[in-house]
Amino acid sequence: MTSPLTTSAPTLQIDADVLVIGGGLAGTWAAVAAAREGAHVVLAEKGFCGTSGVTATAGPGHWWVPPEQRQAAIDKRIASAAGLGDADWMARILETTWQTLPSLDRLYRFPKNSQGEKQYRALRGPEYMRAMRQLALEHGVTLLDHCPALELLKNGNGELAGARGLQRQQQREWVVRAPAVVLSTGGCAFHSRLLGSQNNTGDGYLMGVEAGAELSGMEFSSYYCIAPAGSTMTRSMVYTFGRYFDASGRELPINQGPDFNESLARALLEGPVYCRLDRIPHDIRARLPYVQPNLMLPFDRLGIDPYRDKFAVTLHGEGTVRGVGGLRLVSDHCQTRLPGLFAAGDAASREKVTGAVSGGGAVNSSWALSSGQWAGRGAALHARQHPLRARRTYGTARVGLLPLGDDHQGSSDLVSTVQNEMHPYDKNLFRTGAQLQRSLAELDNSWDRLREQRGARDPAAQLRWRETAAMLASARWCYGAALERKESRGIHQRSDVPQQLASFDLHLLSGGLDAPWVRRDPLQAHTQVPA
């Protein structure tokens, strides 16, 4: 099914124990953890490891809780998880975060409070990811920057055998043969202009499903984040202090809480909404340049003082980035249904740690840090038990790598179709069964158009089409699961079935390409896998 790339340079070929695909927060922690287990690790990143991804543009907080306070924190999280959280996984994350962050002392300068105590909860994304790149290099990880993965590989026995992709700057193929792969490719934000998410196109979901993995929780994909209008600056903490106004200057009853996005979205459907941040305490204003150093850039460029002036706001869709869904995990080591394939960070379902609600910044960051290490160790263990054998491999891609057209307009049109269905508030945030069916019909038609594309084998075109296929597949999985969950739960809200129903105290698994499917999976006891 795979079409070779048309390149003049010889293929880069590497044999390894563990291949990590994606070099953000989860991916770098996975690579370091696998290397610490003695594995030869290769990390392939679509951009530049250390600057790519949502963490590198942020001021990520962590779910940093002292041991004596953890039970209360878990109880609070379970209460908000709408019946889908797992206390054991939450406890594991809290402990892993507590043990891990201080270990970065040598590479990251943590601030101190007035008593001289180091503060580990909030970090600066750029410095954090710079430290993670350095840590990976110190552990002997081979970094392949600007090397998007295109498909997973299997051997003649049907076992996972690595992946191949494009080394963009050298314009050649790369092939990494490895018995264990960690997918840490992030979520899918459908090119919504969410800060740092341009590379988050659902690549890992598509590669995983093609190879035999399945998804879970994709219906929980309707989270949005506030930003100044015309800006990608989706750093939302300061907006908890905001006051909101319509075009006439009338203050709107938009309050922080679980209904904030819905209230703001309804107001935006009526017309422009303006915000003023005059209620931010002065001590927080003083700390913002450290915690979120790029927050003020859009205001500075426009000559706006957000503490005094009103400015227009919008909502950017976050899809599965701050949503919940992703590849289904079947072990404590974050293995998927396919032996040897592991997932971490936003590429994996976070239902066990967030339930049906967004993990926001803190829980999601701790999840990336923790799941990355668990997946990396699990991958190293799998590689030790199942060393690389047969040299002959074949690609698992089933769409987007066939001979596809070089016509940029064709892929752009399909991306626009996806965005037209996934971005509007009245389709994704305020869901109904009828609207979900209409959107799925449009997306299915686009999938048929994708399948009909034929043409050349230009590498840039293949990468563009592959990303288009991943976004389109992810959209169909999101809305397919949303249609099947005939209730309202957490961030999945349907006005035609506004109640949470005990009959849906379960997970929804997804998969399939030409014929997507959704299957109900009853809540089960926590699976323990020997370390």
Side-chain angles (χ1 to χ4, degrees):
M1 300 294 289
T2 298
S3 171
L5 297 173
T6 302
T7 59
S8 57
T11 299
L12 171 66
Q13 299 191 51
I14 304 175
D15 284 358
D17 300 315
V18 175
L19 169 63
V20 178
I21 302 178
L25 185 57
T28 47
W29 276 118
V32 169
R36 284 172 172 167
E37 295 295 321
H40 173 208
V41 183
V42 174
L43 185 154
E45 161 58 31
K46 188 189 288 190
F48 184 84
C49 175
T51 65
S52 184
V54 293
T55 298
T57 63
H62 285 75
W63 203 19
W64 174 263
V65 182
E68 66 274 10
Q69 300 175 18
R70 288 183 193 167
Q71 190 57 55
I74 291 171
D75 290 345
K76 181 179 180 180
R77 196 76 206 180
I78 286 289
S80 68
L84 299 184
D86 187 308
D88 290 344
W89 279 69
M90 295 178 187
R92 292 177 69 211
I93 283 182
L94 289 171
E95 178 61 19
T96 301
T97 302
W98 186 260
Q99 295 295 333
T100 298
L101 285 177
S103 72
L104 281 177
D105 256 346
R106 184 175 54 82
L107 297 174
Y108 183 93
R109 181 175 296 178
F110 291 95
K112 296 180 180 180
N113 63 14
S114 57
Q115 288 77 43
E117 301 167 328
K118 288 187 178 179
Q119 301 298 292
Y120 294 105
R121 188 184 307 273
L123 288 78
R124 287 166 60 105
E127 288 89 340
Y128 190 2
M129 289 310 304
R130 189 181 305 130
M132 290 308 303
R133 180 184 178 91
Q134 180 63 32
L135 191 62
L137 290 171
E138 289 179 359
H139 281 79
V141 176
T142 299
L143 299 182
L144 300 180
D145 293 310
H146 305 292
C147 287
L150 297 175
E151 63 177 340
L152 296 176
L153 303 176
K154 288 186 176 181
N155 61 26
N157 298 322
E159 300 166 327
L160 189 67
R164 78 175 185 107
L166 171 65
Q167 196 170 25
R168 298 180 67 179
Q169 294 180 326
Q170 288 74 21
Q171 283 293 290
R172 64 175 177 175
E173 265 191 327
W174 61 261
V175 174
V176 175
R177 296 172 64 251
V181 175
V182 178
L183 289 173
S184 53
T185 48
C188 184
F190 306 103
H191 282 176
S192 68
R193 301 189 77 231
L194 172 71
L195 186 62
S197 73
Q198 188 68 13
N199 283 347
N200 289 178
T201 50
D203 306 352
Y205 303 154
L206 181 58
M207 286 188 283
V209 168
E210 288 172 330
E214 56 194 7
L215 302 153
S216 182
M218 296 298 282
E219 67 272 32
F220 303 116
S221 53
S222 56
Y223 194 83
Y224 287 75
C225 191
I226 188 172
S231 165
T232 63
M233 191 57 63
T234 49
R235 304 275 70 90
S236 59
M237 183 273 289
V238 296
Y239 292 96
T240 60
F241 301 98
R243 291 196 293 155
Y244 299 89
F245 308 85
D246 64 15
S248 69
R250 179 175 62 92
E251 187 164 357
L252 299 171
I254 298 175
N255 300 311
Q256 282 300 320
D259 298 326
F260 173 77
N261 280 346
E262 288 80 356
S263 298
L264 178 55
R266 292 187 191 281
L268 285 167
L269 288 172
E270 297 294 325
V273 174
Y274 300 86
C275 176
R276 187 163 59 215
L277 301 176
D278 54 339
R279 296 191 297 189
I280 297 181
H282 287 282
D283 61 327
I284 293 181
R285 296 186 195 186
R287 292 180 57 212
L288 282 176
Y290 175 83
V291 178
Q292 296 184 342
N294 51 5
L295 175 71
M296 301 301 289
L297 289 178
F299 303 118
D300 292 341
R301 289 170 181 159
L302 295 173
I304 293 173
D305 179 352
Y307 306 129
R308 181 194 64 201
D309 305 328
K310 289 186 290 187
F311 56 94
V313 294
T314 189
L315 285 168
H316 291 307
E318 302 218 20
T320 61
V321 173
R322 277 201 199 177
V324 176
L327 292 163
R328 178 191 175 217
L329 306 180
V330 300
S331 80
D332 280 8
H333 283 150
C334 299
Q335 182 172 282
T336 70
R337 205 182 107 197
L338 176 63
L341 182 63
F342 301 78
D346 295 347
S349 173
R350 283 135 285 165
E351 290 167 291
K352 290 182 181 297
V353 294
T354 70
V357 300
S358 172
V363 177
N364 279 0
S365 294
S366 286
W367 166 250
L369 172 153
S370 301
S371 63
Q373 293 180 80
W374 303 335
R377 284 194 290 268
L381 176 62
H382 180 89
R384 193 178 307 134
Q385 296 173 342
H386 304 85
L388 196 62
R389 293 187 290 180
R391 295 200 61 82
R392 293 182 62 85
T393 61
Y394 65 91
T396 60
R398 292 173 53 193
V399 65
L401 284 180
L402 297 173
L404 295 173
D406 294 338
D407 173 32
H408 180 74
Q409 187 61 45
S411 61
S412 296
D413 288 346
L414 290 178
V415 170
S416 294
T417 298
V418 172
Q419 293 175 319
N420 288 341
E421 301 306 324
M422 298 304 297
H423 290 177
Y425 318 137
D426 53 353
K427 293 182 180 180
N428 193 8
L429 189 56
F430 306 120
R431 295 169 167 176
T432 67
Q435 179 56 56
L436 290 167
Q437 288 177 324
R438 287 192 291 270
S439 291
L440 281 169
E442 289 291 332
L443 295 168
D444 288 344
N445 288 337
S446 293
W447 187 263
D448 292 339
R449 288 167 54 202
L450 176 73
R451 281 299 206 181
E452 292 169 359
Q453 296 294 324
R454 293 291 183 268
R457 298 173 177 176
D458 171 68
Q462 285 205 338
L463 176 58
R464 185 169 63 248
W465 280 107
R466 187 63 168 163
E467 290 181 332
T468 301
M471 283 192 285
L472 183 49
S474 297
R476 295 166 84 216
W477 289 322
C478 287
Y479 276 176
L483 182 62
E484 177 63 22
R485 187 171 284 279
K486 299 177 175 64
E487 64 159 357
S488 292
R489 183 184 295 255
I491 61 176
H492 166 71
Q493 293 292 308
R494 285 181 50 169
S495 58
D496 53 343
V497 277
Q499 303 84 14
Q500 179 174 316
L501 304 176
S503 57
F504 280 94
D505 288 346
L506 46 79
H507 301 292
L508 291 180
L509 308 185
S510 307
L513 294 170
D514 292 329
W517 54 263
V518 181
R519 185 174 72 246
R520 300 186 182 191
D521 185 43
L523 297 179
Q524 297 174 344
H526 180 56
T527 302
Q528 292 287 349
V529 173

